[in-house]
Amino acid sequence: MPSTVFHQISVLPGVWASPGLLDRLRPLSRRQPLVLDAWPHDDSDTGRSFARTDAVLAGWKDTLDADRLGRLPDLRYIGLRATSTGRVDLDYAGRHGITVAPIEGYGDAGTVEFVTEQLLRHARHGGEARGELAGRRLGIVGYGRVGRAVGRVAQALGMDVAFHTPTARTAAAGEPRWSPLPELLASADLLTFHSPAYRHAVRPDQLRLIPDGTFVVITTLGLPMDAAALRSWQSARGGRVVLDLCAADGLPGDLRDLPGLEIHDLYAARTADSVRRAEAQVLANLAAALTPHPAGCQCCLSGAETALTTSRQKGI
């Protein structure tokens, strides 16, 4: 960035900015940061002010497609308070020299703790008799940072752990083993999904491989299966499925009353600690974008390369 401050930083609704974050944004912007509760109309006073923004902060629910980005001719920076870039048009950003900066790992601990809590609760209270997780088989669909962390905790609790990714992997001694998806689904006593955001990781015919009593935890951004497939599958079984609000985002209303479907009124990744971590990373990314770098420096990538690289690393 040629300047030591941005002209205008605009904060989209999905950031859920704390007062502390807003206070720390003010020295980084010539104008008062513009905090939006909705995408403004172009012909409103807010819309005209927004059109001059050169830096946008967005959350995982905020859509930044080519149409919206095209309304911001001065935009040079998109800071994501999210790990997923799935709702940003990275091709447009790359063509127009817009840096896209996601954050990493801020909600991993909270998600792992939520999944572990649900597994333990099911073992202790999910049947006629109190049981244990030790000796039960856990299947993990998606094996990024969170999936691996869940696997480590499960192994420490004595579980038999297998995972699936589209590409087969060779596990080191003592680590969870890779399994083909049909085998994983058919053999698990408990399942947890950590596949990429807004991607259907299982087909309807594969869902039917899951045993009737298998307990399922889903914390992905958006469902990892088609909503209609979830309706058909869950209507015909007796097992329980637990979703947090990330997984339930956009869920049709009639699915919320499905027998055995339990939606927790929280985001697994969102805790007081994760909010602090997320906002610290957002601010660090903003500061890095304003720091001059020598020609040819490889410490940061321009345009959408950073987001594209990050997205690929986070895939299953």
Side-chain angles (χ1 to χ4, degrees), residues 270-311:
R270 187 176 178 84
T271 66
D273 300 294
S274 74
V275 168
R276 285 192 289 271
R277 286 191 294 268
E279 293 189 348
Q281 287 192 48
V282 167
L283 288 164
N285 285 348
L286 277 167
L290 290 168
T291 301
H293 296 282
C297 175
Q298 295 299 309
C299 59
C300 63
L301 299 174
S302 63
E305 286 186 86
T306 300
L308 285 166
T309 301
T310 301
S311 297

Short mmCIF file of all heavy atoms in Angstrom, two decimals, residues 270-311:
data_model
loop_
_atom_site.label_atom_id
_atom_site.label_comp_id
_atom_site.label_asym_id
_atom_site.label_seq_id
_atom_site.Cartn_x
_atom_site.Cartn_y
_atom_site.Cartn_z
N ARG A 270 -16.86 -19.66 18.13
CA ARG A 270 -16.92 -18.32 18.72
C ARG A 270 -16.93 -18.38 20.24
O ARG A 270 -17.92 -18.77 20.86
CB ARG A 270 -18.15 -17.56 18.21
CG ARG A 270 -18.17 -16.10 18.65
CD ARG A 270 -19.34 -15.35 18.04
NE ARG A 270 -19.39 -13.97 18.49
CZ ARG A 270 -18.72 -12.96 17.96
NH1 ARG A 270 -17.91 -13.18 16.94
NH2 ARG A 270 -18.83 -11.73 18.44
N THR A 271 -15.84 -18.00 20.83
CA THR A 271 -15.72 -17.86 22.28
C THR A 271 -15.10 -16.49 22.55
O THR A 271 -14.60 -15.83 21.62
CB THR A 271 -14.82 -18.95 22.89
OG1 THR A 271 -13.47 -18.77 22.40
CG2 THR A 271 -15.31 -20.35 22.50
N ALA A 272 -15.09 -16.07 23.80
CA ALA A 272 -14.45 -14.79 24.13
C ALA A 272 -12.98 -14.82 23.73
O ALA A 272 -12.43 -13.82 23.23
CB ALA A 272 -14.59 -14.50 25.62
N ASP A 273 -12.34 -15.97 23.92
CA ASP A 273 -10.92 -16.08 23.56
C ASP A 273 -10.73 -16.04 22.05
O ASP A 273 -9.80 -15.39 21.55
CB ASP A 273 -10.35 -17.39 24.11
CG ASP A 273 -10.46 -17.47 25.62
OD1 ASP A 273 -9.80 -16.67 26.30
OD2 ASP A 273 -11.21 -18.32 26.12
N SER A 274 -11.61 -16.72 21.30
CA SER A 274 -11.44 -16.74 19.85
C SER A 274 -11.71 -15.37 19.24
O SER A 274 -11.10 -15.01 18.23
CB SER A 274 -12.34 -17.80 19.22
OG SER A 274 -13.70 -17.40 19.21
N VAL A 275 -12.63 -14.60 19.82
CA VAL A 275 -12.88 -13.25 19.33
C VAL A 275 -11.63 -12.40 19.47
O VAL A 275 -11.24 -11.66 18.55
CB VAL A 275 -14.07 -12.61 20.07
CG1 VAL A 275 -14.16 -11.11 19.78
CG2 VAL A 275 -15.37 -13.31 19.69
N ARG A 276 -10.96 -12.50 20.61
CA ARG A 276 -9.72 -11.74 20.81
C ARG A 276 -8.66 -12.16 19.80
O ARG A 276 -7.97 -11.32 19.22
CB ARG A 276 -9.21 -11.93 22.24
CG ARG A 276 -10.02 -11.17 23.28
CD ARG A 276 -9.31 -11.16 24.62
NE ARG A 276 -9.33 -12.48 25.25
CZ ARG A 276 -10.29 -12.92 26.05
NH1 ARG A 276 -11.33 -12.13 26.32
NH2 ARG A 276 -10.22 -14.11 26.60
N ARG A 277 -8.52 -13.48 19.58
CA ARG A 277 -7.53 -13.95 18.62
C ARG A 277 -7.86 -13.47 17.21
O ARG A 277 -6.99 -13.05 16.45
CB ARG A 277 -7.44 -15.48 18.65
CG ARG A 277 -6.73 -16.05 19.86
CD ARG A 277 -6.45 -17.53 19.67
NE ARG A 277 -7.66 -18.33 19.62
CZ ARG A 277 -8.23 -18.91 20.68
NH1 ARG A 277 -7.69 -18.74 21.88
NH2 ARG A 277 -9.31 -19.64 20.56
N ALA A 278 -9.13 -13.57 16.84
CA ALA A 278 -9.54 -13.17 15.49
C ALA A 278 -9.28 -11.70 15.24
O ALA A 278 -8.72 -11.31 14.20
CB ALA A 278 -11.02 -13.49 15.29
N GLU A 279 -9.67 -10.85 16.18
CA GLU A 279 -9.52 -9.41 15.97
C GLU A 279 -8.04 -9.01 15.97
O GLU A 279 -7.63 -8.10 15.23
CB GLU A 279 -10.32 -8.65 17.02
CG GLU A 279 -11.82 -8.85 16.83
CD GLU A 279 -12.68 -7.95 17.69
OE1 GLU A 279 -12.13 -7.32 18.62
OE2 GLU A 279 -13.90 -7.86 17.41
N ALA A 280 -7.23 -9.70 16.77
CA ALA A 280 -5.79 -9.42 16.76
C ALA A 280 -5.20 -9.75 15.38
O ALA A 280 -4.36 -9.01 14.85
CB ALA A 280 -5.08 -10.23 17.84
N GLN A 281 -5.65 -10.86 14.78
CA GLN A 281 -5.15 -11.21 13.44
C GLN A 281 -5.63 -10.24 12.38
O GLN A 281 -4.89 -9.88 11.46
CB GLN A 281 -5.58 -12.63 13.08
CG GLN A 281 -4.84 -13.72 13.84
CD GLN A 281 -5.11 -15.09 13.24
OE1 GLN A 281 -5.01 -15.29 12.03
NE2 GLN A 281 -5.45 -16.04 14.08
N VAL A 282 -6.89 -9.81 12.48
CA VAL A 282 -7.42 -8.84 11.53
C VAL A 282 -6.58 -7.56 11.56
O VAL A 282 -6.21 -7.00 10.52
CB VAL A 282 -8.90 -8.53 11.83
CG1 VAL A 282 -9.37 -7.30 11.06
CG2 VAL A 282 -9.78 -9.73 11.49
N LEU A 283 -6.29 -7.08 12.77
CA LEU A 283 -5.49 -5.86 12.91
C LEU A 283 -4.07 -6.07 12.41
O LEU A 283 -3.49 -5.18 11.77
CB LEU A 283 -5.49 -5.42 14.38
CG LEU A 283 -6.81 -4.84 14.88
CD1 LEU A 283 -6.83 -4.81 16.40
CD2 LEU A 283 -7.05 -3.44 14.31
N ALA A 284 -3.49 -7.23 12.70
CA ALA A 284 -2.13 -7.51 12.23
C ALA A 284 -2.07 -7.54 10.71
O ALA A 284 -1.12 -7.04 10.09
CB ALA A 284 -1.64 -8.84 12.81
N ASN A 285 -3.10 -8.11 10.08
CA ASN A 285 -3.14 -8.14 8.61
C ASN A 285 -3.27 -6.73 8.03
O ASN A 285 -2.65 -6.40 7.01
CB ASN A 285 -4.31 -9.01 8.14
CG ASN A 285 -4.04 -10.49 8.30
OD1 ASN A 285 -2.91 -10.91 8.56
ND2 ASN A 285 -5.08 -11.29 8.16
N LEU A 286 -4.10 -5.90 8.66
CA LEU A 286 -4.23 -4.51 8.21
C LEU A 286 -2.89 -3.78 8.32
O LEU A 286 -2.49 -3.07 7.38
CB LEU A 286 -5.28 -3.79 9.06
CG LEU A 286 -6.74 -3.96 8.68
CD1 LEU A 286 -7.64 -3.47 9.80
CD2 LEU A 286 -7.06 -3.22 7.38
N ALA A 287 -2.23 -3.94 9.44
CA ALA A 287 -0.94 -3.27 9.63
C ALA A 287 0.08 -3.75 8.61
O ALA A 287 0.86 -2.96 8.07
CB ALA A 287 -0.44 -3.52 11.05
N ALA A 288 0.07 -5.06 8.32
CA ALA A 288 1.01 -5.60 7.33
C ALA A 288 0.73 -5.03 5.95
O ALA A 288 1.66 -4.78 5.17
CB ALA A 288 0.92 -7.13 7.31
N ALA A 289 -0.55 -4.83 5.62
CA ALA A 289 -0.91 -4.28 4.32
C ALA A 289 -0.43 -2.84 4.16
O ALA A 289 -0.20 -2.37 3.05
CB ALA A 289 -2.42 -4.35 4.11
N LEU A 290 -0.27 -2.13 5.27
CA LEU A 290 0.18 -0.74 5.24
C LEU A 290 1.69 -0.60 5.36
O LEU A 290 2.22 0.50 5.30
CB LEU A 290 -0.50 0.04 6.36
CG LEU A 290 -2.00 0.29 6.18
CD1 LEU A 290 -2.61 0.80 7.48
CD2 LEU A 290 -2.27 1.25 5.04
N THR A 291 2.38 -1.72 5.55
CA THR A 291 3.83 -1.69 5.73
C THR A 291 4.51 -1.84 4.38
O THR A 291 4.29 -2.83 3.68
CB THR A 291 4.29 -2.83 6.65
OG1 THR A 291 3.64 -2.70 7.92
CG2 THR A 291 5.80 -2.80 6.85
N PRO A 292 5.36 -0.88 3.99
CA PRO A 292 6.06 -1.00 2.70
C PRO A 292 6.99 -2.22 2.70
O PRO A 292 7.62 -2.55 3.70
CB PRO A 292 6.87 0.30 2.62
CG PRO A 292 6.23 1.23 3.60
CD PRO A 292 5.69 0.35 4.69
N HIS A 293 7.06 -2.91 1.56
CA HIS A 293 7.95 -4.05 1.38
C HIS A 293 8.86 -3.79 0.19
O HIS A 293 8.45 -3.18 -0.80
CB HIS A 293 7.14 -5.33 1.13
CG HIS A 293 6.27 -5.71 2.29
ND1 HIS A 293 6.75 -6.32 3.40
CD2 HIS A 293 4.94 -5.55 2.49
CE1 HIS A 293 5.76 -6.54 4.26
NE2 HIS A 293 4.65 -6.07 3.72
N PRO A 294 10.11 -4.25 0.27
CA PRO A 294 11.02 -4.04 -0.86
C PRO A 294 10.56 -4.79 -2.10
O PRO A 294 9.84 -5.79 -2.00
CB PRO A 294 12.35 -4.59 -0.33
CG PRO A 294 11.97 -5.53 0.77
CD PRO A 294 10.74 -4.96 1.38
N ALA A 295 10.95 -4.31 -3.25
CA ALA A 295 10.58 -4.95 -4.51
C ALA A 295 11.04 -6.40 -4.51
O ALA A 295 12.17 -6.71 -4.08
CB ALA A 295 11.19 -4.21 -5.69
N GLY A 296 10.17 -7.29 -4.95
CA GLY A 296 10.52 -8.70 -5.02
C GLY A 296 10.35 -9.44 -3.72
O GLY A 296 10.64 -10.64 -3.65
N CYS A 297 9.90 -8.76 -2.67
CA CYS A 297 9.73 -9.42 -1.38
C CYS A 297 8.66 -10.51 -1.48
O CYS A 297 7.60 -10.29 -2.04
CB CYS A 297 9.33 -8.40 -0.33
SG CYS A 297 8.95 -9.11 1.29
N GLN A 298 8.94 -11.69 -0.92
CA GLN A 298 8.00 -12.81 -0.97
C GLN A 298 7.31 -13.04 0.37
O GLN A 298 6.65 -14.06 0.56
CB GLN A 298 8.75 -14.09 -1.38
CG GLN A 298 9.32 -14.03 -2.78
CD GLN A 298 8.25 -13.86 -3.83
OE1 GLN A 298 7.27 -14.61 -3.85
NE2 GLN A 298 8.42 -12.88 -4.70
N CYS A 299 7.46 -12.09 1.30
CA CYS A 299 6.86 -12.30 2.62
C CYS A 299 5.35 -12.15 2.60
O CYS A 299 4.66 -12.51 3.54
CB CYS A 299 7.47 -11.37 3.66
SG CYS A 299 7.29 -9.63 3.25
N CYS A 300 4.81 -11.57 1.56
CA CYS A 300 3.36 -11.53 1.41
C CYS A 300 3.04 -11.60 -0.08
O CYS A 300 3.88 -11.28 -0.92
CB CYS A 300 2.75 -10.28 2.02
SG CYS A 300 3.29 -8.74 1.27
N LEU A 301 1.86 -12.03 -0.40
CA LEU A 301 1.45 -12.19 -1.79
C LEU A 301 0.43 -11.12 -2.13
O LEU A 301 -0.40 -10.76 -1.31
CB LEU A 301 0.84 -13.58 -2.01
CG LEU A 301 1.77 -14.77 -1.73
CD1 LEU A 301 0.98 -16.07 -1.85
CD2 LEU A 301 2.93 -14.78 -2.71
N SER A 302 0.47 -10.61 -3.34
CA SER A 302 -0.45 -9.57 -3.75
C SER A 302 -1.72 -10.16 -4.32
O SER A 302 -1.81 -11.35 -4.59
CB SER A 302 0.22 -8.67 -4.79
OG SER A 302 0.52 -9.42 -5.95
N GLY A 303 -2.70 -9.28 -4.53
CA GLY A 303 -3.96 -9.71 -5.14
C GLY A 303 -4.61 -10.80 -4.35
O GLY A 303 -4.63 -10.79 -3.12
N ALA A 304 -5.16 -11.78 -5.07
CA ALA A 304 -5.89 -12.88 -4.42
C ALA A 304 -5.01 -14.09 -4.20
O ALA A 304 -5.50 -15.12 -3.74
CB ALA A 304 -7.10 -13.26 -5.27
N GLU A 305 -3.70 -14.02 -4.47
CA GLU A 305 -2.84 -15.20 -4.33
C GLU A 305 -2.84 -15.72 -2.90
O GLU A 305 -2.84 -16.92 -2.67
CB GLU A 305 -1.41 -14.86 -4.75
CG GLU A 305 -1.22 -14.71 -6.24
CD GLU A 305 0.26 -14.52 -6.56
OE1 GLU A 305 0.97 -15.52 -6.69
OE2 GLU A 305 0.67 -13.36 -6.65
N THR A 306 -2.80 -14.79 -1.93
CA THR A 306 -2.80 -15.21 -0.53
C THR A 306 -4.03 -16.03 -0.22
O THR A 306 -3.95 -17.10 0.37
CB THR A 306 -2.74 -13.97 0.40
OG1 THR A 306 -1.56 -13.25 0.13
CG2 THR A 306 -2.75 -14.40 1.85
N ALA A 307 -5.19 -15.53 -0.60
CA ALA A 307 -6.45 -16.24 -0.31
C ALA A 307 -6.52 -17.56 -1.04
O ALA A 307 -6.97 -18.56 -0.48
CB ALA A 307 -7.62 -15.35 -0.70
N LEU A 308 -6.07 -17.60 -2.29
CA LEU A 308 -6.11 -18.84 -3.05
C LEU A 308 -5.21 -19.88 -2.41
O LEU A 308 -5.57 -21.05 -2.27
CB LEU A 308 -5.68 -18.57 -4.50
CG LEU A 308 -6.72 -17.87 -5.38
CD1 LEU A 308 -6.07 -17.37 -6.65
CD2 LEU A 308 -7.87 -18.81 -5.71
N THR A 309 -4.00 -19.46 -2.02
CA THR A 309 -3.08 -20.39 -1.38
C THR A 309 -3.66 -20.91 -0.07
O THR A 309 -3.62 -22.11 0.22
CB THR A 309 -1.73 -19.69 -1.11
OG1 THR A 309 -1.21 -19.23 -2.34
CG2 THR A 309 -0.74 -20.65 -0.45
N THR A 310 -4.21 -20.00 0.73
CA THR A 310 -4.79 -20.41 2.00
C THR A 310 -5.94 -21.38 1.81
O THR A 310 -6.04 -22.39 2.50
CB THR A 310 -5.28 -19.16 2.76
OG1 THR A 310 -4.19 -18.29 2.97
CG2 THR A 310 -5.87 -19.55 4.11
N SER A 311 -6.80 -21.10 0.84
CA SER A 311 -7.95 -21.96 0.60
C SER A 311 -7.51 -23.36 0.23
O SER A 311 -8.08 -24.35 0.68
CB SER A 311 -8.83 -21.37 -0.51
OG SER A 311 -9.35 -20.14 -0.13
#
